[in-house]
């Protein structure tokens, strides 16, 4: 063999060993794009085998990772499904528990409400309201304020300190506690007492008093109260010209207010007092005839002025009603009652209040009371039923008072009819009686 060929072969072997790693790397990067010419079959086979091994390794790695990832995803799906199922079950149990709690609470509430309703049926809501209209009204609803009116009998009120000494004397005569003197003397005494008690100095009436020789002085504090109708229906007023008006439904009969009321009733009844007879004069035939006629006159006048007496009695302060007012102050309407009393009857604790004031207070502490109106909105059916019964009872009481007034009015009408018949037929009857007796 040629020595050159042997050297050539050695050289190739050395190059092949040195280039093998480089050819492997070149095959990984892309054998198709190799820039080094390869003509040796062994080298090519080696490169292809390495390429197949690398490719197989990569494929196996991808497959293992894909299978692992798929297993993880499957596990995640199973966990998520279990979580959703568990949450749904938990939510269902929670909803069921909440519904059970609500149902049990509603059942307990209904049971408690039923118990409360049963208790309310047999227990008083406001004992003060229940007792109010039963205290003192029977004692305070009747009785006259003078000795002569309304069939109240003898006695009469004591002289009122609110009037002058002259006015007290005039009222004593009018109310039959004192004998009357000569009519002209009694008339002069009455005029003088009125001027010193109810006449305002400087007014028209005051001027008339001055012209008559009497001094004008409004000592009672209620100008012209003895000649004003408002004194009997709304209580004595303090305004001189009558432009300012305040209802005074409680009149203290032992004070100046009572003097004013009694003076008005005297002027309505018999402003001129006839002289009372002495003992010797009553023992004569003329005296006996006068007494018989006087009794008939007194009876008819008593019937005629009964409504005046009833109205005066309605305004008179009654101590019997003090306990009733105390009960009202303890009720739920106590603040309203106190405010009303402070304005309209500040002396109620010592003098009491009138029946007219009581009626007004019983009405206003409900309808005119904002607190009662609001309380009515929250009342149970039982409370409303009881309040309705109380209102009906009060209405029945008021209707009873109205019936009394109607009865009195009908009696007075019958008395007026009797008077008309007597004035028409009595002269004829007396004449016929004389003719019959003379035969």
């Amino acid at each position: 063999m040629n020595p050159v060929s042997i050297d050539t072969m050695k050289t190739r072997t050395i190059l092949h060993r040195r280039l093998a790693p480089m050819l492997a790397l070149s095959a990984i990067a892309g054998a198709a794009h190799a820039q080094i010419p390869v003509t040796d079959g062994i080298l090519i086979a080696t490169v292809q085998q390495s390429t197949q091994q690398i490719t197989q390794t990569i494929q196996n790695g991808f497959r293992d990772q894909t299978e692992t990832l798929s297993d993880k995803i499957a596990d995640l799906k199973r966990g998520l499904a279990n979580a959703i199922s568990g949450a749904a079950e938990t939510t269902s149990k929670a909803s069921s528990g909440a519904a059970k709690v609500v149902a049990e609470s509603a059942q307990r509430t209904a049971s408690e409400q039923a118990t409360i309703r049963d208790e309310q049926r047999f227990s008083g809501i406001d004992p003060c309201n229940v007792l109010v209209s039963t205290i003192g009204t029977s004692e305070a609803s009747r009785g006259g304020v003078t000795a002569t009116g309304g069939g109240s009998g003898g006695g009469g009120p004591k002289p009122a300190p609110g009037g002058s000494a002259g006015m007290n004397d005039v009222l004593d005569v009018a109310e039959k506690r004192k004998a009357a003197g000569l009519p002209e003397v009694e008339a002069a005494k009455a005029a003088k007492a009125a001027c010193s008690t109810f006449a305002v100095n400087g007014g028209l009436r005051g001027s008339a008093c001055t012209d008559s020789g009497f001094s004008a002085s409004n000592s009672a504090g209620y100008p012209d109260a003895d000649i004003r109708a408002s004194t009997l229906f709304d209580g004595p007023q303090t305004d001189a010209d009558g432009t300012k008006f305040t209802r005074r439904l409680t009149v203290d009969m032992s004070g100046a207010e009572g003097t004013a009321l009694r003076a008005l009733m005297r002027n309505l009844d018999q402003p001129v007092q006839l002289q009372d007879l002495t003992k010797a004069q009553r023992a004569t035939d003329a005296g006996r005839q006068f007494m018989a006629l006087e009794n008939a006159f007194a009876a008819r006048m008593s019937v005629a002025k009964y409504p005046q007496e009833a109205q005066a009695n309605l305004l008179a302060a009654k101590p019997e009603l003090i306990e009733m007012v105390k009960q009202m102050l303890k009720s739920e309407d106590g603040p309203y009652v106190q405010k009303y009393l402070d304005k309209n009857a500040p002396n109620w604790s010592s003098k009491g209040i009138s029946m007219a004031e009581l009626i007004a207070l019983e009405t206003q502490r409900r309808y005119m009371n904002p607190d009662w109106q609001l309380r009515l909105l929250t009342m149970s059916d039982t409370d409303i039923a009881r309040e309705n019964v109380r209102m009906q009872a009060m209405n029945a009481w008021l209707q009873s008072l109205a019936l009394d007034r109607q009865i009195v009015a009908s009696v007075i009408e019958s008395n007026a009819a009797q008077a008309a018949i007597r004035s028409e037929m009595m002269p004829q009857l007396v004449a016929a009686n004389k003719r019959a007796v003379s035969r």
Side-chain angles (χ1 to χ4, degrees):
M1 179 176 297
N2 191 348
V4 178
S5 298
I6 294 173
D7 293 334
T8 300
M9 292 179 64
K10 290 180 179 181
T11 301
R12 289 179 179 178
T13 301
I14 292 171
L15 289 173
H16 179 73
R17 291 176 179 175
R18 291 180 178 179
L19 292 174
M22 297 177 63
L23 290 175
L25 291 174
S26 178
I28 294 174
H33 302 284
Q35 301 298 324
I36 301 174
V38 179
T39 56
D40 194 329
I42 296 174
L43 181 59
I44 293 172
T46 301
V47 171
Q48 288 179 349
Q49 185 178 0
S50 298
T51 300
Q52 290 177 357
Q53 290 178 352
I54 292 172
T55 301
Q56 186 65 35
T57 300
I58 292 173
Q59 289 178 353
N60 292 337
F62 280 140
R63 184 171 58 253
D64 293 340
Q65 292 179 359
T66 300
E67 290 178 356
T68 301
L69 183 59
S70 297
D71 293 340
K72 296 296 184 181
I73 292 175
D75 292 340
L76 181 61
K77 288 182 179 179
R78 285 192 297 271
L80 182 60
N82 292 334
I84 293 174
S85 177
E89 182 178 359
T90 301
T91 302
S92 177
K93 290 182 179 179
S95 300
S96 177
K100 184 177 181 181
V101 170
V102 172
E104 291 178 352
S105 176
Q107 184 177 4
R108 286 195 301 270
T109 301
S111 177
E112 292 171 357
Q113 290 177 348
T115 302
I116 293 173
R117 285 194 297 268
D118 289 339
E119 291 176 353
Q120 288 177 343
R121 290 178 58 192
F122 302 102
S123 62
I125 300 303
D126 188 354
C128 295
N129 282 339
V130 175
L131 297 176
V132 156
S133 60
T134 65
I135 303 176
T137 53
S138 60
E139 292 83 359
S141 59
R142 293 292 181 182
V145 297
T146 67
T148 60
S152 58
K158 297 179 180 180
S164 62
M167 177 55 68
N168 291 338
D169 184 65
V170 169
L171 292 176
D172 284 341
V173 172
E175 295 170 2
K176 302 302 181 183
R177 281 186 298 273
K178 200 176 203 182
L182 294 173
E184 57 270 22
V185 174
E186 295 299 334
K189 288 168 55 178
K192 180 180 179 180
C195 285
S196 63
T197 308
F198 302 109
V200 177
N201 189 15
L204 183 60
R205 189 180 185 186
S207 299
C209 291
T210 303
D211 295 342
S212 301
F214 305 134
S215 61
S217 174
N218 180 28
S219 61
Y222 302 104
D224 298 336
D226 61 328
I227 58 174
R228 284 182 176 178
S230 59
T231 302
L232 183 59
F233 297 105
D234 301 294
Q237 302 297 307
T238 58
D239 185 55
D241 54 8
T243 57
K244 296 179 181 180
F245 184 84
T246 302
R247 295 199 75 187
R248 303 175 62 87
L249 297 181
T250 296
V251 175
D252 179 13
M253 295 305 298
S254 64
E257 301 171 4
T259 299
L261 183 59
R262 290 160 60 201
L264 172 67
M265 295 180 66
R266 173 200 173 274
N267 288 336
L268 294 174
D269 178 20
Q270 191 175 347
V272 178
Q273 304 294 326
L274 298 178
Q275 182 179 3
D276 287 312
L277 302 182
T278 64
K279 180 179 180 180
Q281 291 170 339
R282 292 193 187 99
T284 64
D285 290 339
R288 296 186 186 98
Q289 292 176 6
F290 175 79
M291 185 175 65
L293 186 59
E294 184 183 37
N295 290 339
F297 175 81
R300 296 174 189 177
M301 287 300 296
S302 178
V303 172
K305 69 178 185 179
Y306 188 90
Q308 300 170 15
E309 285 285 335
Q311 177 61 25
N313 181 67
L314 200 63
L315 295 179
K318 300 296 180 67
E320 299 91 336
L321 300 178
I322 293 178
E323 291 302 319
M324 173 184 285
V325 176
K326 290 181 179 179
Q327 288 291 334
M328 295 173 72
L329 289 171
K330 295 177 183 178
S331 69
E332 292 178 325
D333 298 323
Y336 182 89
V337 174
Q338 184 65 63
K339 183 178 179 181
Y340 179 95
L341 293 173
D342 291 342
K343 179 180 179 181
N344 298 284
N347 297 324
W348 70 269
S349 60
S350 58
K351 302 294 183 179
I353 65 172
S354 67
M355 292 293 292
E357 199 83 79
L358 174 65
I359 294 172
L361 180 55
E362 276 288 281
T363 303
Q364 294 186 32
R365 76 185 181 103
R366 289 182 171 88
Y367 183 73
M368 301 297 291
N369 185 1
D371 292 336
W372 181 85
Q373 295 285 358
L374 294 176
R375 194 165 66 247
L376 187 65
L377 298 177
T378 59
M379 285 184 182
S380 65
D381 294 341
T382 303
D383 293 343
I384 292 176
R386 285 174 172 161
E387 188 70 10
N388 188 39
V389 170
R390 283 194 291 267
M391 296 296 290
Q392 290 178 352
M394 179 180 176
N395 187 49
W397 176 48
L398 296 178
Q399 288 180 350
S400 176
L401 296 178
L403 178 61
D404 288 343
R405 295 296 182 94
Q406 291 177 0
I407 293 174
V408 171
S410 65
V411 171
I412 292 176
E413 289 176 358
S414 68
N415 189 46
Q418 288 174 334
I421 294 172
R422 279 192 300 270
S423 63
E424 178 183 356
M425 299 191 65
M426 196 65 182
Q428 303 176 25
L429 187 61
V430 169
N433 179 264
K434 287 183 177 181
R435 289 193 298 270
V437 171
S438 63
R439 292 186 180 183

